Amino acid sequence: MKRNTFYLILGLVILLEVGVFWWAVEIHNALLSPVAFILGVVAIYVARSRVGEIIEDERTGLITQKAALRTFQVFWVVFFAVNLGMAIIGLGPPGFPRPPMRPPRSDEGLPFNLLGRYAVVQLVLLGLMILLYVGFRIYYARKYGDWDSDEEQS
Amino acid sequence: MKNRVKVFRAMHDLTQEQLADTLGVTRQTILAIEKGKYDPSLELAFRMARHFKVSIEEIFLWEEQAEGT
């Protein structure tokens, strides 16, 4: 398999994941999206292992390693700080910034409770972690000459 | 660290792609080494030296040595 074919498959899997998430929300199925996500990761892993060209070597390994370490360092501090704040909000008495909870009316669905909000914040943080990783990866890839061009490049 | 990979590659009439395939790395890695953006591991340096049938010191020059010559 060629490298570009792999990137096409990657894009398709991401689109499918978004579609499955949307569908899972519509039909209120909590299991569908996590299962689809794990299957998607496995599919990407299998597709990646079938790429014939060399796409990883010691230099790309170094870039991945450095970007991952920096991401971990920054993310840990941010994640800890956010969760510390949320713990204080969650465990403290109702008031600003957590309004007192009221029981849901009969015509309302389940309330968007604290646990749900907590899950959404965690998902947003994990999304930001990916952006952080991509940022660091771009930085180190540039540092170690990933986008340099020369006379051989057409 | 300076290197003469480009010179040896030219002497053996090899493209970056060909050298990269022989050594099992990406073309971009060969380019990064030639431009001095990346210092290869000892293993890759040895593989490169063996491929060109020279010693490592003939390809890679330690900065002090490179300044002195």
Side-chain angles (χ1 to χ4, degrees):
Chain A
M1 184 193 295
K2 289 194 171 180
R3 197 190 319 196
N4 286 345
T5 314
F6 166 70
Y7 290 135
L8 272 174
I9 291 172
L10 181 68
L12 271 174
V13 169
I14 291 169
L15 278 177
L16 275 172
E17 291 294 337
V18 173
V20 168
F21 175 75
W22 196 280
W23 187 42
V25 171
E26 287 289 320
I27 63 170
H28 287 282
N29 191 326
L31 198 64
L32 191 63
S33 205
V35 169
F37 181 75
I38 291 167
L39 288 176
V41 170
V42 171
I44 289 168
Y45 181 78
V46 170
R48 190 188 165 91
S49 66
R50 292 182 183 205
V51 176
E53 300 167 53
I54 299 165
I55 53 172
E56 263 189 12
D57 60 14
E58 58 177 50
R59 189 184 56 87
T60 57
L62 181 72
I63 292 168
T64 305
Q65 192 184 333
K66 290 217 170 197
L69 181 66
R70 285 283 174 272
T71 305
F72 174 74
Q73 287 170 333
V74 175
F75 185 74
W76 199 94
V77 173
V78 174
F79 197 74
F80 187 83
V82 169
N83 281 287
L84 200 63
M86 287 185 75
I88 292 165
I89 293 169
L91 298 172
F96 183 80
R98 177 164 69 91
M101 300 282 279
R102 62 167 178 77
R105 292 199 309 265
S106 59
D107 59 334
E108 281 180 333
L110 284 171
F112 186 48
N113 59 22
L114 274 179
L115 192 65
R117 284 182 212 180
Y118 183 72
V120 170
V121 170
Q122 303 282 313
L123 285 174
V124 170
L125 281 174
L126 286 171
L128 289 175
M129 185 190 187
I130 293 172
L131 290 181
L132 198 63
Y133 175 72
V134 169
F136 278 125
R137 221 190 138 83
I138 289 170
Y139 170 76
Y140 284 110
R142 190 183 286 260
K143 187 178 175 183
Y144 292 112
D146 232 17
W147 290 297
D148 283 353
S149 58
D150 65 342
E151 69 275 6
E152 271 188 29
Q153 231 167 6
S154 55
Chain B
M1 193 161 67
K2 291 190 175 178
N3 70 76
R4 300 201 297 153
V5 174
K6 197 169 185 171
V7 175
F8 277 95
R9 193 167 55 75
M11 281 162 62
H12 286 77
D13 199 22
L14 288 169
T15 63
Q16 288 172 344
E17 192 80 56
Q18 287 167 332
L19 181 61
D21 286 344
T22 310
L23 298 172
V25 295
T26 60
R27 192 190 73 84
Q28 213 61 31
T29 294
I30 300 297
L31 175 62
I33 293 170
E34 286 183 359
K35 291 209 164 190
K37 289 257 182 109
Y38 173 69
D39 292 333
S41 67
L42 201 52
E43 189 193 334
L44 181 57
F46 265 111
R47 286 214 308 267
M48 212 176 264
R50 292 276 155 83
H51 180 72
F52 290 132
K53 295 186 176 64
V54 291
S55 64
I56 285 185
E57 289 88 345
E58 285 180 71
I59 305 177
F60 296 97
L61 302 111
W62 181 244
E63 204 64 52
E64 289 170 359
Q65 199 183 337
E67 282 168 9
T69 52

